[in-house]
Amino acid sequence: MGQDLAIPGSGASRGEHRIFVSDQRIGILIDHLTSGMEWLEISPTGQALYRTTISEPNLRNFVTTADGRLFAQGGPRSSPRGPIVMLDRASSKWIPVLNEGTLIGSDENQLVLNASGENWLLRLKWVTPGADPGPSPELR
């Protein structure tokens, strides 16, 4: 039998949960109505690995890579561009890694960007981001 994982406060969310799966972890992005977003990682067996609150209101375009790194794009909502940041699990801070293109996905451990500079034109670019931030620390 599987083990249920309670997500406190999820009843107050907008229901915009997103699930990301990699070899070593399952990531759940929870968008709460009044308290911002939360990132939760569990092992394939259901063990809680990591949890943090995402307090930056302008992050969007969340993607994970095959090695489990979490990336997002920041900046004003009116602009599709902004710095691409990576979650540093040790500090629970977002670290800028790229300042080009619009983040649209990932392919293995590379980020996939729209490098055209225009919303209506798609020019895909594969980019290898910075070094692996290491294993997840204990659950916070």
Side-chain angles (χ1 to χ4, degrees):
M1 284 281 159
Q3 182 180 9
D4 290 337
L5 177 67
I7 303 174
S10 62
S13 71
R14 291 179 249 178
E16 297 177 18
H17 307 326
R18 293 182 62 193
I19 297 176
F20 302 84
V21 179
S22 68
D23 290 343
Q24 301 298 318
R25 59 182 61 115
I26 300 164
I28 305 166
L29 183 66
I30 305 163
D31 191 356
H32 296 286
L33 182 60
T34 58
S35 60
M37 290 185 283
E38 186 174 15
W39 175 251
L40 171 68
E41 292 179 356
I42 60 174
S43 72
T45 61
Q47 176 187 6
L49 299 173
Y50 181 78
R51 185 179 217 148
T52 189
T53 300
I54 299 174
S55 57
E56 292 78 4
N58 290 326
L59 289 181
R60 60 192 179 281
N61 301 352
F62 291 88
V63 301
T64 58
T65 53
D67 59 8
R69 292 179 289 168
L70 177 65
F71 294 87
Q73 190 150 24
R77 292 271 181 197
S78 61
S79 170
R81 295 185 184 254
I84 296 172
V85 294
M86 177 181 70
L87 177 64
D88 174 49
R89 289 180 183 89
S91 66
S92 293
K93 303 282 184 200
W94 292 93
I95 300 169
V97 293
L98 290 169
N99 199 18
E100 64 175 294
T102 300
L103 183 60
I104 60 172
S106 66
D107 181 5
E108 291 295 321
N109 292 323
Q110 292 187 309
L111 300 179
V112 181
L113 310 176
N114 179 0
S116 74
E118 302 292 336
N119 287 337
W120 54 270
L121 178 63
L122 187 62
R123 187 174 66 222
L124 298 178
K125 180 178 181 179
W126 278 252
V127 177
T128 302
D132 182 0
S136 295
E138 294 297 314
L139 179 66
R140 296 171 195 240

